[in-house]
Protein backbone atom coordinates (compact mmCIF):
# COMPACT_ATOMS: atom_id res chain seq x y z
CA UNK A 1 0.00 0.00 0.00
CA UNK A 2 2.89 2.35 -0.64
CA UNK A 3 1.36 4.26 -3.51
CA UNK A 4 -1.90 5.11 -5.11
CA UNK A 5 -1.76 2.60 -7.93
CA UNK A 6 -4.93 0.57 -8.33
CA UNK A 7 -5.38 -1.69 -5.34
CA UNK A 8 -6.36 -5.28 -5.74
CA UNK A 9 -8.61 -7.07 -3.30
CA UNK A 10 -5.69 -8.35 -1.22
CA UNK A 11 -4.38 -4.78 -0.90
CA UNK A 12 -7.76 -3.76 0.47
CA UNK A 13 -7.87 -6.59 2.97
CA UNK A 14 -4.29 -5.81 3.97
CA UNK A 15 -5.33 -2.18 4.55
CA UNK A 16 -8.17 -3.39 6.75
CA UNK A 17 -5.79 -5.47 8.85
CA UNK A 18 -3.17 -2.71 9.05
CA UNK A 19 -5.87 -0.33 10.22
CA UNK A 20 -6.81 -2.79 12.95
CA UNK A 21 -3.18 -2.72 14.10
CA UNK A 22 -3.03 1.08 13.91
CA UNK A 23 -6.14 1.40 16.07
CA UNK A 24 -4.69 -1.06 18.56
CA UNK A 25 -1.46 0.96 18.80
CA UNK A 26 -3.36 4.20 19.21
CA UNK A 27 -5.59 2.82 21.98
CA UNK A 28 -2.48 1.53 23.75
CA UNK A 29 -1.10 5.08 23.78
CA UNK A 30 1.62 4.50 21.21
CA UNK A 31 1.42 8.11 19.93
CA UNK A 32 1.63 9.66 23.40
CA UNK A 33 5.02 11.18 24.29
CA UNK A 34 6.21 10.49 20.74
CA UNK A 35 9.77 11.61 21.51
CA UNK A 36 10.33 8.68 23.85
CA UNK A 37 11.49 5.29 22.56
CA UNK A 38 8.78 2.62 22.88
CA UNK A 39 9.30 -0.88 24.12
CA UNK A 40 8.55 -3.18 21.18
CA UNK A 41 7.26 -5.99 23.39
CA UNK A 42 4.79 -3.68 25.13
CA UNK A 43 3.07 -2.49 21.96
CA UNK A 44 3.57 -5.29 19.47
CA UNK A 45 3.69 -8.38 21.62
CA UNK A 46 5.76 -10.31 19.12
CA UNK A 47 8.31 -9.55 16.43
CA UNK A 48 6.09 -10.66 13.58
CA UNK A 49 3.69 -7.85 14.21
CA UNK A 50 6.49 -5.34 14.68
CA UNK A 51 8.22 -6.41 11.46
CA UNK A 52 4.96 -6.24 9.53
CA UNK A 53 4.25 -2.67 10.64
CA UNK A 54 7.84 -1.58 10.04
CA UNK A 55 7.90 -3.09 6.57
CA UNK A 56 4.52 -1.97 5.32
CA UNK A 57 4.06 1.45 6.92
CA UNK A 58 6.10 4.55 7.63
CA UNK A 59 4.81 4.78 11.21
CA UNK A 60 7.82 3.44 13.08
CA UNK A 61 11.54 2.96 13.10
CA UNK A 62 13.80 0.75 15.17
CA UNK A 63 16.08 2.18 17.90
CA UNK A 64 17.67 -1.12 18.98
CA UNK A 65 16.68 -4.74 19.54
CA UNK A 66 14.11 -3.88 22.18
CA UNK A 67 12.89 -0.37 21.35
CA UNK A 68 11.33 1.49 18.45
CA UNK A 69 10.29 5.09 17.80
CA UNK A 70 7.30 6.90 16.32
CA UNK A 71 8.22 8.55 13.00
CA UNK A 72 8.45 12.34 13.18
CA UNK A 73 5.54 12.77 10.75
CA UNK A 74 3.17 11.42 13.41
CA UNK A 75 4.34 13.39 16.42
CA UNK A 76 1.45 15.83 16.58
CA UNK A 77 -2.12 14.91 17.44
CA UNK A 78 -3.30 16.57 14.20
CA UNK A 79 -1.19 14.16 12.13
CA UNK A 80 -1.98 10.98 14.05
CA UNK A 81 -4.73 10.68 16.67
CA UNK A 82 -6.99 13.31 15.11
CA UNK A 83 -7.06 11.45 11.80
CA UNK A 84 -8.12 8.24 13.54
CA UNK A 85 -10.59 10.01 15.83
CA UNK A 86 -12.17 11.93 12.96
CA UNK A 87 -12.05 9.67 9.91
CA UNK A 88 -12.40 6.29 11.59
CA UNK A 89 -14.03 6.60 15.01
CA UNK A 90 -15.97 9.74 14.05
CA UNK A 91 -18.28 7.72 11.80
CA UNK A 92 -20.56 4.74 12.16
CA UNK A 93 -20.52 2.24 9.33
CA UNK A 94 -24.15 1.79 8.36
CA UNK A 95 -25.77 -1.54 7.65
CA UNK A 96 -23.73 -3.16 4.84
CA UNK A 97 -25.85 -3.76 1.76
CA UNK A 98 -28.31 -1.02 2.69
CA UNK A 99 -28.89 2.26 0.91
CA UNK A 100 -26.35 5.09 0.59
CA UNK A 101 -24.84 6.81 2.52
CA UNK A 102 -22.53 4.16 3.91
CA UNK A 103 -21.37 6.23 6.89
CA UNK A 104 -23.14 8.37 9.43
CA UNK A 105 -21.49 10.84 11.82
CA UNK A 106 -20.95 9.54 15.33
CA UNK A 107 -21.67 12.93 16.89
CA UNK A 108 -19.96 12.27 20.19
CA UNK A 109 -16.73 10.82 18.77
CA UNK A 110 -16.59 13.33 15.92
CA UNK A 111 -17.18 16.14 18.42
CA UNK A 112 -14.44 14.85 20.72
CA UNK A 113 -11.97 14.82 17.82
CA UNK A 114 -12.69 18.45 16.96
CA UNK A 115 -12.74 19.51 20.58
CA UNK A 116 -9.25 18.10 21.06
CA UNK A 117 -8.05 19.54 17.76
CA UNK A 118 -9.21 23.03 18.65
CA UNK A 119 -6.15 23.38 20.91
CA UNK A 120 -4.07 23.46 17.70
CA UNK A 121 -6.37 25.78 15.77
CA UNK A 122 -4.72 29.02 14.72
CA UNK A 123 -7.19 31.78 13.90
CA UNK A 124 -4.73 34.60 13.17
CA UNK A 125 -5.88 35.08 9.58
CA UNK A 126 -9.56 34.95 10.49
CA UNK A 127 -9.14 37.48 13.31
CA UNK A 128 -7.20 39.79 11.03
CA UNK A 129 -9.94 39.58 8.37
CA UNK A 130 -12.61 40.27 10.99
CA UNK A 131 -10.67 43.34 12.06
CA UNK A 132 -10.36 44.58 8.49
CA UNK A 133 -14.09 44.08 7.97
CA UNK A 134 -14.80 46.05 11.16
CA UNK A 135 -16.77 43.14 12.64
CA UNK A 136 -18.64 43.78 15.90
CA UNK A 137 -21.09 40.89 15.92
CA UNK A 138 -19.89 37.60 14.48
CA UNK A 139 -22.23 34.73 13.58
CA UNK A 140 -20.33 31.42 13.36
CA UNK A 141 -22.18 28.72 11.41
CA UNK A 142 -21.10 25.25 12.56
CA UNK A 143 -19.08 26.91 15.32
CA UNK A 144 -17.85 23.64 16.85
CA UNK A 145 -16.08 24.37 20.12
CA UNK A 146 -16.38 28.08 19.39
CA UNK A 147 -12.70 28.91 19.59
CA UNK A 148 -12.91 31.72 17.05
CA UNK A 149 -15.96 33.20 18.83
CA UNK A 150 -14.07 33.05 22.09
CA UNK A 151 -10.99 34.80 20.68
CA UNK A 152 -13.12 37.38 18.89
CA UNK A 153 -15.19 38.24 21.99
CA UNK A 154 -12.12 38.23 24.18
CA UNK A 155 -10.38 40.76 21.91
CA UNK A 156 -12.80 43.59 22.72
CA UNK A 157 -15.63 44.32 25.13
CA UNK A 158 -17.55 45.68 22.12
CA UNK A 159 -17.54 42.34 20.36
CA UNK A 160 -20.51 39.97 20.38
CA UNK A 161 -20.79 36.41 19.12
CA UNK A 162 -23.47 33.97 18.09
CA UNK A 163 -22.75 30.34 17.31
CA UNK A 164 -24.92 27.61 15.82
CA UNK A 165 -23.99 23.96 15.80
CA UNK A 166 -25.90 20.70 15.77
CA UNK A 167 -23.41 18.83 17.92
CA UNK A 168 -24.39 18.80 21.61
CA UNK A 169 -21.01 17.61 22.75
CA UNK A 170 -19.19 20.51 21.06
CA UNK A 171 -21.71 23.09 22.22
CA UNK A 172 -21.29 21.95 25.81
CA UNK A 173 -17.51 22.38 25.48
CA UNK A 174 -18.06 25.75 23.77
CA UNK A 175 -20.26 27.09 26.59
CA UNK A 176 -17.75 25.98 29.22
CA UNK A 177 -15.12 28.24 27.69
CA UNK A 178 -17.10 31.39 28.38
CA UNK A 179 -16.55 31.57 32.10
CA UNK A 180 -16.49 35.28 32.91
CA UNK A 181 -19.81 37.10 33.26
CA UNK A 182 -18.72 39.76 30.75
CA UNK A 183 -18.04 37.16 28.07
CA UNK A 184 -21.16 35.14 28.87
CA UNK A 185 -23.31 38.22 28.31
CA UNK A 186 -21.94 38.73 24.81
CA UNK A 187 -22.19 35.21 23.43
CA UNK A 188 -25.19 33.08 22.49
CA UNK A 189 -25.12 29.50 21.28
CA UNK A 190 -27.96 27.72 19.55
CA UNK A 191 -28.23 24.04 18.94
CA UNK A 192 -29.62 23.54 15.47
CA UNK A 193 -29.24 23.24 11.74
CA UNK A 194 -27.46 26.14 10.06
CA UNK A 195 -29.70 25.84 7.02
CA UNK A 196 -32.53 27.05 9.27
CA UNK A 197 -30.58 29.93 10.77
CA UNK A 198 -33.59 32.28 10.70
CA UNK A 199 -35.51 30.04 13.10
CA UNK A 200 -32.98 30.55 15.91
CA UNK A 201 -32.01 34.21 15.67
CA UNK A 202 -34.41 37.03 16.52
CA UNK A 203 -34.93 39.87 14.02
CA UNK A 204 -32.75 42.11 16.21
CA UNK A 205 -29.94 39.54 16.24
CA UNK A 206 -30.12 39.13 12.47
CA UNK A 207 -29.88 42.89 12.09
CA UNK A 208 -27.03 43.17 14.55
CA UNK A 209 -24.80 40.45 12.98
CA UNK A 210 -22.31 42.06 10.63
CA UNK A 211 -20.03 39.18 9.64
CA UNK A 212 -20.95 35.54 9.11
CA UNK A 213 -18.28 32.84 9.29
CA UNK A 214 -18.43 29.21 8.19
CA UNK A 215 -15.44 26.88 8.55
CA UNK A 216 -15.82 23.42 6.99
CA UNK A 217 -19.58 23.86 6.81
CA UNK A 218 -20.31 24.88 3.21
CA UNK A 219 -18.79 21.61 2.01
CA UNK A 220 -21.85 19.93 3.54
CA UNK A 221 -24.01 21.65 0.93
CA UNK A 222 -21.94 20.53 -2.04
CA UNK A 223 -23.84 17.46 -3.14
CA UNK A 224 -25.44 19.61 -5.81
CA UNK A 225 -24.73 23.14 -6.95
CA UNK A 226 -28.39 23.97 -6.34
CA UNK A 227 -28.17 23.03 -2.66
CA UNK A 228 -25.27 25.37 -2.00
CA UNK A 229 -26.88 28.08 -4.09
CA UNK A 230 -30.13 27.82 -2.12
CA UNK A 231 -28.25 28.11 1.17
CA UNK A 232 -26.36 31.18 -0.03
CA UNK A 233 -29.58 32.79 -1.25
CA UNK A 234 -31.07 32.15 2.20
CA UNK A 235 -28.09 33.82 3.86
CA UNK A 236 -28.21 36.72 1.40
CA UNK A 237 -31.89 37.30 2.09
CA UNK A 238 -31.23 37.48 5.84
CA UNK A 239 -27.92 39.33 5.89
CA UNK A 240 -28.00 41.44 2.75
CA UNK A 241 -24.85 43.52 2.17
CA UNK A 242 -22.93 41.81 5.00
CA UNK A 243 -19.83 39.68 4.62
CA UNK A 244 -19.52 35.92 4.70
CA UNK A 245 -16.10 34.39 5.40
CA UNK A 246 -15.84 30.85 4.05
CA UNK A 247 -13.05 28.54 5.15
CA UNK A 248 -13.20 25.29 3.24
CA UNK A 249 -11.26 23.15 0.80
CA UNK A 250 -11.23 22.44 -2.91
CA UNK A 251 -12.27 18.84 -3.66
CA UNK A 252 -9.89 16.73 -5.72
CA UNK A 253 -11.71 13.43 -6.21
CA UNK A 254 -12.66 14.08 -9.82
CA UNK A 255 -9.37 15.68 -10.84
CA UNK A 256 -6.36 14.19 -12.56
CA UNK A 257 -4.22 15.00 -9.51
CA UNK A 258 -6.49 13.13 -7.08
CA UNK A 259 -4.12 10.27 -6.50
CA UNK A 260 -1.00 12.34 -5.87
CA UNK A 261 0.44 11.82 -2.45
CA UNK A 262 0.81 15.56 -1.90
CA UNK A 263 -2.99 15.87 -2.08
CA UNK A 264 -3.78 12.84 0.06
CA UNK A 265 -5.36 14.82 2.94
CA UNK A 266 -7.89 16.44 0.58
CA UNK A 267 -8.44 13.15 -1.26
CA UNK A 268 -9.25 11.25 1.94
CA UNK A 269 -11.53 14.06 3.06
CA UNK A 270 -13.36 13.78 -0.28
CA UNK A 271 -13.89 10.06 0.18
CA UNK A 272 -15.32 10.68 3.65
CA UNK A 273 -17.62 13.35 2.23
CA UNK A 274 -18.76 10.97 -0.48
CA UNK A 275 -19.45 8.00 1.79
CA UNK A 276 -21.29 10.10 4.35
CA UNK A 277 -23.53 11.64 1.68
CA UNK A 278 -22.17 15.19 2.01
CA UNK A 279 -20.97 15.53 -1.56
CA UNK A 280 -17.50 16.43 -2.76
CA UNK A 281 -16.68 20.16 -2.61
CA UNK A 282 -16.28 22.04 -5.89
CA UNK A 283 -12.78 21.70 -7.18
CA UNK A 284 -11.54 25.21 -7.81
CA UNK A 285 -12.04 28.87 -7.13
CA UNK A 286 -13.77 29.47 -10.46
CA UNK A 287 -16.51 26.96 -9.59
CA UNK A 288 -17.05 28.36 -6.08
CA UNK A 289 -17.08 31.95 -7.34
CA UNK A 290 -19.53 31.04 -10.06
CA UNK A 291 -21.96 29.65 -7.48
CA UNK A 292 -21.59 32.71 -5.24
CA UNK A 293 -22.41 34.88 -8.24
CA UNK A 294 -25.37 32.72 -9.29
CA UNK A 295 -26.69 33.22 -5.74
CA UNK A 296 -26.49 36.99 -6.19
CA UNK A 297 -23.36 37.34 -4.02
CA UNK A 298 -20.00 38.98 -4.76
CA UNK A 299 -16.70 37.28 -3.95
CA UNK A 300 -14.23 39.96 -2.86
CA UNK A 301 -11.17 38.11 -1.54
CA UNK A 302 -9.46 34.74 -1.65
CA UNK A 303 -6.54 33.19 0.16
CA UNK A 304 -5.14 29.80 -0.90
CA UNK A 305 -2.02 29.00 1.11
CA UNK A 306 -2.06 25.27 0.32
CA UNK A 307 -3.12 25.42 -3.32
CA UNK A 308 -2.59 22.00 -4.91
CA UNK A 309 -1.34 20.30 -1.78
CA UNK A 310 -2.28 19.08 1.70
CA UNK A 311 -5.85 19.88 2.57
CA UNK A 312 -6.07 22.27 -0.39
CA UNK A 313 -7.87 24.72 1.88
CA UNK A 314 -8.92 28.25 1.15
CA UNK A 315 -10.58 31.30 2.61
CA UNK A 316 -13.07 33.31 0.55
CA UNK A 317 -14.71 36.54 1.62
CA UNK A 318 -18.06 37.01 -0.05
CA UNK A 319 -20.37 39.99 0.07
CA UNK A 320 -23.94 38.78 0.48
CA UNK A 321 -25.36 40.92 -2.29
CA UNK A 322 -24.17 42.89 -5.30
C1 LIG B 1 -15.67 20.23 10.46
S1 LIG B 1 -16.39 20.87 11.89
C2 LIG B 1 -15.73 22.50 12.01
C3 LIG B 1 -15.95 23.11 13.36
C4 LIG B 1 -15.46 24.55 13.51
N1 LIG B 1 -16.10 25.42 12.57
C5 LIG B 1 -13.97 24.60 13.36
O1 LIG B 1 -13.48 25.24 12.46
O2 LIG B 1 -13.28 24.00 14.20
C6 LIG B 1 -17.99 21.18 11.27
C7 LIG B 1 -18.96 21.61 12.33
O3 LIG B 1 -20.19 21.92 11.75
C8 LIG B 1 -21.23 21.31 12.47
N2 LIG B 1 -22.32 21.08 11.51
C9 LIG B 1 -22.26 20.35 10.40
N3 LIG B 1 -23.42 20.44 9.72
C10 LIG B 1 -24.22 21.26 10.42
C11 LIG B 1 -25.53 21.75 10.25
N4 LIG B 1 -26.25 21.41 9.16
N5 LIG B 1 -26.03 22.58 11.18
C12 LIG B 1 -25.31 22.92 12.27
N6 LIG B 1 -24.05 22.50 12.49
C13 LIG B 1 -23.51 21.67 11.58
C14 LIG B 1 -20.64 20.05 13.04
O4 LIG B 1 -21.34 19.63 14.19
C15 LIG B 1 -19.22 20.49 13.35
O5 LIG B 1 -19.13 21.04 14.62
Amino acid sequence: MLNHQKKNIYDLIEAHYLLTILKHLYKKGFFKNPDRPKRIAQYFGNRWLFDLVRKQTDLIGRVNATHCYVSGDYHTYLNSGFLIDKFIDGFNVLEPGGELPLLSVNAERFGQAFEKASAYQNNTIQLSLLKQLGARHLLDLGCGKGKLLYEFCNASANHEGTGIDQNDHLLKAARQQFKSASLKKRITFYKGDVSRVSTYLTKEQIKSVDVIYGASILNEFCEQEETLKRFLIHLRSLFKGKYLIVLDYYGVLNTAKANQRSLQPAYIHDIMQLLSGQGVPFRNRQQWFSIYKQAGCTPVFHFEPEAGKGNNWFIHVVKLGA
Side-chain angles (χ1 to χ4, degrees):
M1 302 292 294
L2 289 178
N3 58 40
H4 272 257
Q5 283 163 5
K6 281 189 183 180
K7 287 135 188 98
N8 70 21
I9 194 159
Y10 287 106
D11 292 329
L12 300 177
I13 293 170
E14 180 196 11
H16 171 80
Y17 287 141
L18 289 173
L19 183 62
T20 305
I21 302 170
L22 173 66
K23 285 171 74 171
H24 161 80
L25 292 174
Y26 180 48
K27 295 286 181 269
K28 280 199 106 173
F30 187 72
F31 294 99
K32 283 188 190 149
N33 304 314
D35 293 333
R36 287 197 207 144
K38 314 279 172 202
R39 235 162 41 82
I40 293 171
Q42 182 185 344
Y43 293 97
F44 296 91
N46 66 52
R47 298 225 58 100
W48 287 87
L49 198 58
F50 174 73
D51 286 342
L52 172 68
V53 174
R54 195 156 83 98
K55 224 161 145 185
Q56 296 298 48
T57 78
D58 65 356
L59 297 174
I60 56 175
R62 192 209 294 262
V63 178
N64 55 35
T66 55
H67 286 77
C68 65
Y69 62 86
V70 179
S71 301
D73 284 351
Y74 304 106
H75 277 202
T76 69
Y77 173 69
L78 287 186
N79 290 337
S80 52
F82 178 60
L83 301 179
I84 301 169
D85 289 343
K86 176 171 86 161
F87 288 119
I88 311 296
D89 290 343
F91 289 89
N92 298 317
V93 178
L94 297 172
E95 195 57 40
E99 299 298 316
L100 296 174
L102 301 181
L103 299 177
S104 71
V105 175
N106 178 327
E108 190 178 347
R109 305 299 280 271
F110 191 80
Q112 282 164 352
F114 274 89
E115 186 192 346
K116 227 165 145 189
S118 77
Y120 303 85
Q121 193 178 337
N122 182 337
N123 290 322
T124 313
I125 300 162
Q126 291 91 318
L127 290 166
S128 150
L129 279 173
L130 289 169
K131 199 167 176 188
Q132 287 175 54
L133 295 171
R136 300 274 295 264
H137 185 167
L138 173 66
L139 168 63
D140 190 341
L141 303 174
C143 60
K145 199 189 166 192
K147 188 171 184 194
L148 180 67
L149 285 170
Y150 177 81
E151 291 175 350
F152 177 71
C153 289
N154 214 17
S156 162
N158 292 324
H159 288 174
E160 261 183 77
T162 302
I164 303 179
D165 204 289
Q166 64 191 10
N167 188 313
D168 269 329
H169 181 88
L170 281 167
L171 282 179
K172 191 168 163 220
R175 289 193 178 103
Q176 276 167 3
Q177 263 176 134
F178 290 81
K179 291 202 174 86
S180 83
S182 150
L183 279 173
K184 268 190 189 151
K185 256 197 322 218
R186 292 184 279 121
I187 183 86
T188 317
F189 288 107
Y190 294 102
K191 185 196 167 185
D193 181 352
V194 297
S195 61
R196 300 175 61 235
V197 52
S198 57
T199 57
Y200 311 110
L201 273 65
T202 62
K203 280 196 179 122
E204 288 70 36
Q205 282 172 318
I206 290 174
K207 215 167 140 199
S208 142
V209 163
D210 45 23
V211 178
I212 301 100
Y213 176 74
S216 287
I217 187 82
L218 260 58
N219 64 47
E220 303 217 357
F221 294 84
C222 285
E223 208 176 358
Q224 289 176 2
E225 287 194 8
E226 277 311 308
T227 318
L228 181 58
K229 215 193 303 177
R230 225 176 302 125
F231 181 51
L232 290 164
I233 291 172
H234 179 56
L235 292 180
R236 194 199 66 197
S237 69
L238 294 174
F239 303 103
K240 194 151 193 205
K242 298 175 178 174
Y243 287 95
L244 167 69
I245 302 178
V246 181
L247 186 153
D248 226 296
Y249 80 102
Y250 298 125
V252 296
L253 202 57
N254 56 356
T255 68
K257 290 184 179 165
N259 59 5
Q260 285 181 4
R261 195 157 268 262
S262 59
L263 274 166
Q264 221 171 9
Y267 174 74
I268 294 296
H269 198 158
D270 278 347
I271 297 177
M272 175 272 268
Q273 293 273 134
L274 186 70
L275 298 192
S276 57
Q278 299 176 79
V280 175
F282 307 110
R283 68 170 182 265
N284 57 34
R285 191 193 324 142
Q286 288 68 29
Q287 287 190 340
W288 282 82
F289 277 23
S290 159
I291 294 165
Y292 298 140
K293 287 177 190 162
Q294 288 172 47
C297 303
T298 316
V300 294
F301 172 80
H302 65 270
F303 177 63
E304 296 161 350
E306 268 196 353
K309 58 183 190 313
N311 283 303
N312 213 16
W313 68 279
F314 65 77
I315 290 181
H316 297 157
V317 180
V318 182
K319 188 173 176 194
L320 295 170

